[in-house]
Amino acid sequence: MTGLTLALRQVGGETGMPLPAAIAAARPPRRVEYVAGRMAAQVALHRLTGQAALVGMGPDRLPVWPEGIIGSISHNRQNAVALAACARRYHAVGVDIETLMDAVTAREVLPVLGPVGAEDPLNLTLAFSAKESLFKALYPHVGFFGFEDARFDPPCALVLTRDLSPDWPAGRRFTVNCRIGHGRVLTWVALQARNVAPPSTYRSAMVICPA
Amino acid sequence: MTETLSDLDWLQARVTELIEDEDSIDPDESLIFYGLDSIRVMTLAGELKERGIQVSFEELARTPTLNAWSALIRERRAG
């Protein structure tokens, strides 16, 4: 996909990366997850733009991307993944990584996920992760919405069950990209820019992405 | 009332267990920040339901702090 890159990093080990005070004070597992997430973001950014840049942390704890870039970061206990995209081509992106659920967890999440088709742990993890990715992509545009507001449509799509905004009405279908393997599920949602206004939290100036 | 109190004690103990942390938890800090991921939040919603407390995953995820969750549980127990 042009204008979009993904990067995966293993969680573990500290680096000399400067940390925000809140992270420096956090317990070690949280610090290494943060570092892995930010390193993945740097790799994704470098692949996208050919330039080195840091991804900071805003007061709301969300990542702060360079101008003209939107992105998303996720991690489980083992890996961090980051997605970076040119804001001119994409107006909403979300990525999620989940450890494959065990049978017990899968049974617990089933009632909340709603209809998902096959009820095996892999399909449930996929449905869960897909909904997380969509939430992360749309949250900056529409605010909070729930798991029940999108129905999982196998093999890997989501359909809105209510109007989230004039841009995203009930019935709108989203293709969710996925990679499965190594005991994990990775999903991402990337919506190409059309005539949707950018969210106020993103800056619109284009300085990095090539035309 | 004693029931509510034990629910809150249980919540604190369970959350501490889920985030695998021995340090005290700031009750107003996001538990996501402590490393509590969404699958675990969902698991917790299921466990609360087993204790007879109807709290949805979305309600927990909206404000993931110990104080907000305690208030939710008190509200459900009172209702």
Side-chain angles (χ1 to χ4, degrees):
Chain A
M1 266 183 274
T2 321
L4 183 150
T5 53
L6 274 170
L8 190 74
R9 295 286 300 207
Q10 273 192 346
V11 170
E14 302 263 358
T15 63
M17 182 186 285
L19 299 174
I23 297 296
R27 69 201 178 92
R30 175 60 196 149
R31 277 210 304 274
V32 294
E33 284 176 358
Y34 178 89
V35 167
R38 287 310 192 271
M39 297 209 21
Q42 284 180 34
V43 173
L45 268 177
H46 190 263
R47 285 179 188 160
L48 183 69
T49 66
Q51 294 176 33
L54 285 172
V55 176
M57 185 173 84
D60 51 7
R61 294 263 159 75
L62 291 175
V64 177
W65 298 87
E67 290 196 9
I69 307 291
I70 61 173
S72 179
I73 299 175
S74 175
H75 40 70
N76 63 2
R77 296 286 158 108
Q78 293 80 35
N79 290 280
V81 62
L83 186 164
C86 292
R88 191 155 55 183
R89 297 199 177 169
Y90 294 89
H91 61 88
V93 295
V95 69
D96 181 70
I97 187 167
E98 299 291 343
T99 305
L100 190 59
M101 289 178 199
D102 55 43
V104 174
T105 308
R107 244 194 331 272
E108 281 169 348
V109 302
L110 182 57
V112 188
L113 280 178
V116 294
E119 295 178 358
D120 57 283
L122 173 60
N123 199 49
L124 287 165
T125 310
L126 193 57
F128 183 92
S129 182
K131 289 187 178 198
E132 289 274 301
S133 283
L134 182 69
F135 179 85
K136 288 170 86 171
L138 296 190
Y139 175 78
H141 297 265
V142 303
F144 198 92
F145 61 100
F147 264 43
E148 73 282 3
D149 295 328
R151 175 176 55 81
F152 185 66
D153 187 17
C156 203
L158 290 166
V159 179
L160 292 182
T161 57
R162 74 169 173 96
D163 298 342
L164 295 182
S165 77
D167 290 323
W168 288 294
R172 169 72 198 270
R173 193 170 185 280
F174 300 91
T175 301
V176 181
N177 303 280
C178 68
R179 277 187 205 164
I180 297 164
H182 308 286
R184 62 178 183 249
V185 166
L186 174 64
T187 64
W188 71 97
V189 169
L191 305 177
Q192 301 223 358
R194 292 201 192 93
N195 295 319
V196 176
S200 56
T201 50
Y202 296 152
R203 286 149 296 180
S204 58
M206 287 296 306
V207 292
I208 294 177
C209 280
Chain B
M1 196 61 207
T2 51
E3 181 82 322
T4 306
L5 202 62
S6 75
D7 285 337
L8 300 186
D9 288 344
W10 175 86
L11 176 72
Q12 172 114 29
R14 189 74 184 106
V15 164
T16 307
E17 193 177 21
L18 285 172
I19 63 177
E20 300 163 14
D21 200 346
E22 296 99 54
D23 299 341
S24 62
I25 303 170
D26 177 347
D28 287 315
E29 176 63 271
S30 167
L31 293 166
I32 306 301
F33 177 64
Y34 284 104
L36 192 69
D37 60 40
S38 38
I39 294 271
R40 287 181 175 80
V41 175
M42 196 169 252
T43 303
L44 198 72
E47 290 173 350
L48 284 167
K49 193 176 280 182
E50 280 168 20
R51 296 177 68 88
I53 305 162
Q54 295 289 331
V55 179
S56 72
F57 168 75
E58 278 79 17
E59 287 172 315
L60 294 178
R62 195 177 294 254
T63 316
T65 67
L66 269 181
N67 273 348
W69 289 0
S70 301
L72 262 177
I73 289 171
R74 273 194 297 264
E75 189 187 300
R76 292 303 135 87
R77 278 297 188 202

